[in-house]
Amino acid sequence: MDLGIKDRSALVCASSKGLGRGCAMALAREGVNVTLVARGAEALEKTAAEIRAATGVTVMTVAADIVTAAGRAAALAACPQPDILVNNAGGPPPGDFRNSLRDDWLAALDANMLAPIELIKATVDHMIARKFGRIVNITSGAVKMPIDVLGLSTSARLGLTGFVAGLSRKTVAHNVTINNLLPGFHDTDRVKSVVGGQARQRGISYEQALAERIATIPAGRIGDAEDFGAACAWLCSAQAGFITGQNWLIDGGAYSGTF
């Protein structure tokens, strides 16, 4: 299927590795010119080179922390009016909420709620004026099925989810959609950190903890960043203009509820 987004521009946050990289690659394969943002310059340039070689699209890079005002300014200077915005930022470390200080909560809100809202605010009106825009926020499966040790992350991401629920119903009339992708258990550095923390807490090996988690997934495997990226690309397609304010859970069937 031709997704109808060739020659569009996309700003993809936290895209040097993991799910962000998967989204950037999938969009580039559809002919979208991408601006990659990440903190680590070396990994960022490596990913950019791989995307250029695989797709031939224009790839720009911004080595910056998207959570900071300076980082967002740098990203928007490189790509001031993207047709597509993919919001993504690493979550705070897992742990018992009893050990979390006020500053920990504020940092979580900055990273997983306020930073994406600021980027939406900076780009959505340009999208509305052009009558095309796709905003995808990478949140977490914990938004739908909370995990106690991810309280900081889940709370902040739920705040973003609530914000998007309201705004997305206003923008869709202008062919600007806003949706959330909720990853489950995927092969990322973040998941490795969470599993490692759980293993240490329980006094078992990382391999045992990993196997136990995979056993809870009906698909029988860990998630793949390329599969995830393909879902993102489709949500950004010309054909997806009637989908907005949704939370797409990509978890291999781990969530057993009906809604």
Side-chain angles (χ1 to χ4, degrees), residues 203-225:
I204 62 175
S205 70
Y206 175 86
E207 291 73 21
Q208 182 179 348
L210 179 62
E212 288 179 1
R213 284 297 303 271
I214 291 175
T216 68
I217 303 172
R221 64 176 177 88
I222 196 167
D224 182 87

Side-chain angles (χ1 to χ4, degrees), residues 137-162:
N137 304 301
I138 300 176
T139 62
S140 170
V143 167
K144 193 169 183 71
M145 188 168 57
I147 302 169
D148 62 345
V149 296
L150 298 181
L152 290 171
S153 171
T154 302
S155 299
R157 296 187 195 279
L158 278 167
L160 176 63
T161 302

Side-chain angles (χ1 to χ4, degrees), residues 3-12 27 30-35 58 60 75-76 78-87 119-120 122-137 171 174-179 232-238 240-241:
L3 298 188
I5 49 177
K6 187 176 185 295
D7 296 325
R8 294 285 187 183
S9 63
L11 177 61
V12 188
L27 288 167
E30 295 298 324
V32 177
N33 299 311
V34 294
T35 298
T58 298
M60 295 188 292
L76 291 167
C79 186
Q81 296 185 20
D83 300 300
I84 295 165
L85 169 65
V86 180
N87 276 315
L119 285 171
I120 292 170
T123 57
V124 70
D125 287 336
H126 297 297
M127 295 176 178
I128 289 172
R130 292 193 303 272
K131 298 295 182 182
F132 181 90
R134 300 288 184 263
I135 299 173
V136 175
N137 304 301
T171 62
H174 306 282
N175 193 27
V176 177
T177 67
I178 312 176
N179 292 287
C232 177
W234 195 85
L235 269 185
C236 295
S237 71

Side-chain angles (χ1 to χ4, degrees), residues 5 8-37 44 47-48 50-52 54-55 57-61 84-86 88 138 181 225-226 228-233 236:
I5 49 177
R8 294 285 187 183
S9 63
L11 177 61
V12 188
C13 303
S15 48
S16 64
K17 300 178 183 179
L19 301 180
R21 182 190 185 281
C23 293
M25 180 64 85
L27 288 167
R29 290 191 189 283
E30 295 298 324
V32 177
N33 299 311
V34 294
T35 298
L36 312 179
V37 186
L44 185 64
T47 293
E50 291 170 349
I51 293 176
R52 291 188 191 103
T55 67
V57 303
T58 298
V59 182
M60 295 188 292
T61 60
I84 295 165
L85 169 65
V86 180
N88 185 29
I138 300 176
L181 282 178
E226 290 192 7
F228 187 91
C232 177
C236 295

Side-chain angles (χ1 to χ4, degrees), residues 31 47 53 79-80 105 189 224 242 258:
T47 293
C79 186
W105 286 100
D189 290 345
D224 182 87
F242 207 58
T258 55

